[in-house]
Amino acid sequence: MNIHIRKARPSDAEIAVPLILEAIGDIAEQMTGEKEPAAVQKELIQLFKREDNRHSYLTTCIAQRDDKIMGVMVLYSGADAVRLDANLVTWLREKSGDSIIIPPEARKDEYYVDTVSVNPDFRGQGIGSLLLAHAEHLARDTGFSKVALNVELEKEAAIRLYKRVGYHVAEPWEIYGGAFHHMVKVL
């Protein structure tokens, strides 16, 4: 298949951000402080190009074949999430003047897969599985013994994929009022 997984670059923003938006849905409004789809995308592109938040290119991997981006994955340690989200909260407070709280999405001892999204043109080719295997490799390399992710209850195809590659539902989780399965894979 000859797919290369690499660290993202700021120049990937225009292609990577729409895939991230597809995966995170309405949560993007909370992360950007915007409601209109074009404004949400514009702000998420700016966050992607920065180095200090959960949606930075520094926390993103790209699955690529030749010059085509086939999928993206945003991931970081649960411990790093505290710092990344604190930076995001500061930015949102300065932007809106509102008191902002970002709910935790992972435990500090977990390597957290925030987002996995495969370009629709390449779905069904094992790209998601390759990205998740890469997450496991990164987790092991940084000393973590488990990888976690959250998935909306109605995303049955994603849940099947996660179970097939070894994740189990560890507990219910809530993010901005939405119900999720918190799924964990012990390495």
Side-chain angles (χ1 to χ4, degrees):
M1 200 178 331
N2 202 19
I3 296 169
H4 174 68
I5 298 178
R6 63 169 174 83
K7 293 290 285 174
R9 300 181 286 260
S11 60
D12 294 321
E14 301 294 329
I15 297 171
V17 165
L19 292 172
I20 293 169
L21 282 170
E22 182 180 339
I24 68 174
D26 294 342
I27 290 174
E29 294 177 9
Q30 303 295 326
M31 294 291 138
T32 62
E34 299 292 340
K35 298 287 183 211
E36 296 299 319
V40 169
Q41 183 165 326
K42 179 182 175 191
E43 291 297 313
L44 200 55
I45 286 171
Q46 293 309 310
L47 288 170
F48 186 89
K49 292 178 179 180
R50 291 174 51 164
E51 297 182 352
D52 64 348
N53 68 90
R54 69 164 64 190
H55 290 294
S56 168
Y57 72 94
L58 292 176
T59 61
T60 304
C61 293
I62 302 288
Q64 182 173 333
R65 180 171 54 210
D66 301 322
D67 63 344
K68 294 185 176 33
I69 291 179
M70 304 173 82
V72 300
M73 177 173 59
V74 177
L75 68 166
Y76 41 84
S77 77
D80 286 345
V82 175
R83 175 184 49 81
L84 295 169
D85 286 349
N87 293 334
L88 189 55
V89 164
T90 299
W91 175 75
L92 285 166
R93 284 182 181 158
E94 289 172 358
K95 179 178 173 177
S96 70
D98 294 335
S99 177
I100 305 293
I101 296 173
I102 296 177
E105 294 186 21
R107 302 209 179 282
K108 289 182 181 180
D109 67 336
E110 297 171 337
Y111 204 76
Y112 182 62
V113 176
D114 180 295
T115 306
V116 175
S117 184
V118 176
N119 180 320
D121 294 339
F122 301 106
R123 290 188 181 147
Q125 298 181 31
I127 308 303
S129 296
L130 285 172
L131 286 165
L132 291 169
H134 186 71
E136 294 168 26
H137 173 75
L138 293 174
R140 281 187 196 100
D141 282 355
T142 53
F144 284 84
S145 62
K146 59 184 171 178
V147 179
L149 53 83
N150 292 307
V151 60
E152 293 166 296
L153 305 182
E154 67 274 4
K155 291 193 173 179
E156 294 174 9
I159 294 167
R160 281 192 305 275
L161 166 64
Y162 302 143
K163 286 182 176 180
R164 189 171 65 246
V165 298
Y167 286 79
H168 70 277
V169 176
E171 61 187 304
W173 206 272
E174 184 178 309
I175 303 171
Y176 293 116
F180 290 77
H181 288 306
H182 188 72
M183 299 185 76
V184 174
K185 180 173 183 178
V186 177
L187 304 175

